[in-house]
């Protein structure tokens, strides 16, 4: 079995140093970095990025003084001095790149005390990840620290996280491989008579065997033509009971996590023999993604990538509009910068890992396709491996 890639304590400490320097350059005296964990994989990234900690305790409503802000680890990081990590459960000390760790069930007063101990009370603090903390919890911190100024500064962590280290790239390669294998198994299994849930079970099993988890899944099937049929469910997205039938199209968008790092892939296929309109939609989604990938190179702007993909769709006679207005996004410990939208001026750099995606629809026929690429010094390298065409 291959040895799992890992990130060293020294790399975490270097991230902290860079974050402090960025905070000082932005005029802050320090940072309050907030994450959410505990059964959620939406907003854990920032504290994991800087302090290698994820709380597996679920978020529950506050019942003070017994507990507060469960599932919300926070890192208090003064520009001058050592950071203080406030957690709601025990840590493995040899894996945490922070020497001062405070464990508390009642997290909010512990965070207030940490801010005071870091000599940041009454100062200007940048807050990274405020959207991860409930409004009432943040108001409690503010009310206990009168005279302290809090300003959102997500852009600091967004910038740091956008370019990956060699260790992160190794993990993302493995994550993409696991995701590719899972979606391959699901697409192989997707035949007439099988339900969305049965197909999802194949993917979940493939992920669990590799120590990975599902984050999100979009799954749909249907028929195009004069009386189009669209089959999908909202909660969960794979709960439709209608079995697949010959002559339908079928698509999966699957995202998941390995060692904290995301993968995100999409594929489509016909059930039985493919019709020409089906193939036209499948190929349009592929062509848009490939046009976007062709525009990826160091120095290009993220908006240029989106424009290239959307232009290709228009040239093929497809609408550039769908439920998601971008052509993709960065990926790492979450949905990372940059976002591939036409007005984005973010400059692409070597070491970024990008997902390029598009779902298209025409006359009820749907094509869905997404690839993951690593930006290199000369262009990009595709790291997703799932089969592209099944027709």
């Amino acid at each position: 079995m291959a040895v799992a890639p890992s990130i060293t304590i020294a790399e975490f400490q270097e991230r902290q140093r860079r974050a402090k320097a960025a905070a000082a350059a932005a005029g802050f005296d320090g940072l309050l970095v907030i994450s959410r964990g505990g059964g959620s994989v939406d907003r854990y990234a920032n504290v994991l990025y800087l302090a290698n900690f994820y709380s597996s305790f679920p978020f529950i409503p506050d019942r003070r003084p017994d507990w507060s802000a469960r599932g919300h680890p926070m890192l208090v990081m003064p520009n001058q001095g050592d950071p203080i990590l406030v957690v709601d459960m025990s840590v493995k000390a040899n894996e945490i790149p922070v020497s001062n760790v405070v464990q508390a069930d009642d997290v909010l007063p512990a965070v207030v005390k940490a801010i005071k101990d870091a000599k940041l009370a009454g100062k200007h603090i940048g807050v990274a990840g405020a959207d991860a903390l409930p409004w009432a919890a943040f108001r409690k911190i503010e009310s206990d620290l009168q005279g302290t100024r809090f300003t959102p500064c997500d852009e600091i962590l967004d910038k740091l996280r956008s370019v990956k280290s060699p260790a992160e790239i190794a993990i993302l390669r493995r994550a993409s491989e696991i995701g590719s294998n899972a979606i391959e198994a699901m697409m192989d299994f997707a035949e007439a008579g099988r339900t969305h849930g049965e197909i999802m079970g194949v993917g979940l099993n493939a992920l669990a065997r590799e120590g990975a988890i599902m984050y999100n899944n979009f799954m749909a099937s249907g028929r195009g033509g004069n009386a189009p049929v669209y089959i999908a469910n909202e909660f969960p997205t794979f709960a439709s009971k209608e079995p697949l039938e010959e002559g339908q199209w079928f698509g999966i968008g699957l995202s998941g996590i390995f060692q904290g790092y995301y993968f995100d892939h999409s594929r489509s296929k016909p059930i039985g023999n493919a019709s020409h309109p089906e193939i036209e939609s499948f190929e349009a989604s592929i062509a848009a993604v490939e046009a976007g990938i062709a525009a990826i190179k160091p120095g290009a702007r993220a908006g240029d990538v989106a424009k290239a993909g959307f232009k290709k769709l228009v040239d093929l006679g497809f609408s550039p509009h769908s439920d998601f207005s971008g052509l993709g996004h960065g990926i790492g410990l979450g949905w990372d910068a940059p976002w591939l939208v036409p007005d984005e001026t973010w400059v692409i750099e070597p070491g970024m890992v990008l997902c390029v995606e598009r779902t298209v629809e025409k006359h009820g026929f749907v094509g869905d396709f997404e690839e993951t690429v690593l930006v290199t010094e000369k262009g990009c390298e595709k790291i997703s491996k799932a089969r592209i065409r099944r027709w």
Side-chain angles (χ1 to χ4, degrees), residues 229-244:
V229 175
Y230 185 83
I231 301 168
N233 197 69
E234 292 182 354
F235 189 48
T237 55
F238 49 85
S240 296
K241 299 300 184 183
E242 298 91 335
L244 298 179

Side-chain angles (χ1 to χ4, degrees), residues 251-309:
I252 302 169
L254 180 69
S255 57
I257 300 162
F258 173 70
Q259 291 187 198
Y261 285 81
Y262 280 40
F263 65 81
D264 193 12
H265 307 314
S266 297
R267 291 294 189 268
S268 300
K269 68 175 285 187
I271 304 302
N273 294 325
S275 66
H276 176 74
E278 273 183 323
I279 293 175
E280 186 181 26
S281 292
F282 297 159
E283 291 288 350
S285 62
I286 294 170
V289 168
E290 290 182 342
I293 290 173
I296 295 174
K297 59 183 179 180
R301 298 187 183 276
D304 298 335
V305 178
K307 291 173 184 176

Side-chain angles (χ1 to χ4, degrees), residues 15-33:
R15 292 173 179 180
Q16 294 171 17
R17 186 198 65 76
R18 293 168 59 206
K20 288 181 179 182
F28 299 116
D29 297 299
L31 297 176
L32 173 61
V33 184

Side-chain angles (χ1 to χ4, degrees), residues 332-343:
L333 290 169
W335 312 124
D336 285 356
W339 291 92
L340 306 180
V341 293
D343 61 349

